[in-house]
């Protein structure tokens, strides 16, 4: 069974601080995908990044960076120089390759981390 | 539109009433998912459509919940005889099932259901 743990329920920082959101996952699959989604107050889940299990390279996109470490089953997300607009709930998710029978992607979400960036 | 569209965005109903929630996926997306997000919780899978068929309904919490999809496009989630524990945000997502599909789901803004 798949499991995603986001131990940090809520984080509050002051603007311009760096913040890291932790994500630890469990899966018996050897091939899988990891995602981060952002959920602003509007409610829509906004895709941020996808990483497959064969690619352990860290990725940087502007102020966002992701650290994937297969050895510790972690996929942490860092926001550098946080801004008020970064305030949202962030979800880490794990997906398999899809059921051979149904095609359904089993996408398992963590419980989310609420980030509040104070001005 | 370009994204996944859901309606209504907010629905308040009385216990025992039936409700219908609608999802219009991204054009061309053959896969459609319904999830439920209870207050302060992560997302809970409800049902998956591939085209008009639903090969995985394993997440529907009871027989009061049903969903259909017509024309390989719009989907309706129906909750009969609503209960207070049905109060949640219902999120719809779509994706393209094809070569190179890496499982990225595109989500709508959700329908917030409040059962009084």
């Amino acid at each position: 069974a798949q499991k995603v743990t986001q131990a940090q329920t809520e984080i509050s920082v002051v603007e311009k601080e760096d913040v890291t959101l932790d994500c630890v996952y469990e899966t018996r699959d050897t091939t899988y995908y990891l995602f981060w989604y952002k959920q602003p107050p509007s409610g829509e889940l906004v895709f941020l990044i996808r990483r497959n299990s064969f690619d352990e390279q860290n990725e940087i996109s502007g102020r966002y960076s992701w650290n994937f470490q297969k050895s510790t089953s972690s996929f942490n997300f860092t926001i550098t120089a946080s801004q008020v607009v970064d305030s949202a709930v962030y979800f880490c998710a794990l997906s398999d390759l899809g059921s051979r029978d149904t095609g359904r992607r089993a996408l398992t979400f963590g419980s989310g981390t609420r980030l509040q960036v104070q001005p | 539109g370009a994204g996944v569209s859901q309606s209504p965005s907010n629905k308040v109903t009385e216990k025992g009433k039936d409700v219908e929630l609608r999802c219009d996926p991204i054009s061309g997306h053959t896969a459609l998912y319904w999830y439920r997000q209870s207050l302060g919780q992560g997302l809970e899978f409800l049902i998956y459509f591939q085209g008009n068929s639903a090969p995985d309904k394993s997440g529907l919490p009871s027989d009061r919940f049903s969903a259909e999809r017509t024309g390989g496009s719009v989907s309706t989630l129906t909750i009969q005889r609503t209960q207070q524990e049905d109060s949640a945000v219902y999120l719809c997502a779509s994706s393209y099932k094809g070569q190179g599909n890496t499982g990225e789901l595109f989500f709508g803004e959700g329908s917030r259901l409040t059962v009084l």
Side-chain angles (χ1 to χ4, degrees), chain B residues 44-74:
Chain B
E44 173 191 4
F45 166 76
L46 296 178
I47 186 169
Y48 158 72
F49 285 91
Q50 182 56 235
N52 288 339
S53 65
D56 191 338
K57 306 178 184 179
S58 61
L60 294 178
S62 75
D63 59 8
R64 296 186 296 104
F65 287 73
S66 63
E68 65 175 14
R69 189 179 185 193
T70 55
S73 181
V74 173

Side-chain angles (χ1 to χ4, degrees), chain B residues 70-86:
Chain B
T70 55
S73 181
V74 173
S75 175
T76 302
L77 176 69
T78 301
I79 308 173
Q80 295 178 309
R81 305 180 303 280
T82 51
Q83 303 294 313
Q84 288 183 332
E85 62 263 28
D86 300 334

Side-chain angles (χ1 to χ4, degrees), chain A residues 43-45, chain B residues 3-6 23 90-94 106-110:
Chain A
E44 181 180 359
L45 276 165
Chain B
V4 177
S5 177
Q6 290 189 247
C23 172
Y90 290 83
L91 286 156
C92 175
S94 68
F106 293 84
F107 284 84
E109 292 190 356

